[in-house]
Amino acid sequence: MLLAHPVVLKNLIEQYETLRALHAEDGTEEARRRMEDVAYTLCVSTGTRDVDTALVAARHQLPGARAEDDSLLAT
């Protein structure tokens, strides 16, 4: 599987978190739509199917992530 560049993943995580905060605050249709687009891109970039798993996977691919810590992935 191809892996997204860590800079791209970091940018996507930051965008998603910002948009989530905007949507929670304003609840605008535009913020929701953009948040869904970024969530989809995160899922595609990490090979996952839901945004929560995509966020965990993306964070694990960033420099400094502890590869042996998979506690967030176990359910």
Side-chain angles (χ1 to χ4, degrees), residues 14-60:
E14 289 172 358
Q15 282 185 58
Y16 183 79
E17 290 173 347
T18 300
L19 289 163
R20 183 170 51 189
L22 282 173
H23 180 64
E25 186 176 302
D26 295 337
T28 65
E29 182 67 21
E30 181 180 350
R32 183 193 61 77
R33 199 169 335 129
R34 180 69 182 129
M35 188 174 68
E36 288 175 355
D37 290 345
V38 173
Y40 174 81
T41 304
L42 266 167
C43 289
V44 170
S45 298
T46 58
T48 59
R49 293 182 179 221
D50 68 86
V51 70
D52 293 327
T53 305
L55 287 166
V56 171
R59 286 186 180 111
H60 272 78

Side-chain angles (χ1 to χ4, degrees), residues 5-16 42 58 62-63:
H5 193 279
V7 173
V8 172
L9 293 175
K10 184 175 187 282
N11 185 334
L12 288 169
I13 292 168
E14 289 172 358
Q15 282 185 58
Y16 183 79
L42 266 167
L62 296 178

Side-chain angles (χ1 to χ4, degrees), residues 2 61 66:
L2 294 175
Q61 293 178 37
R66 295 184 345 204

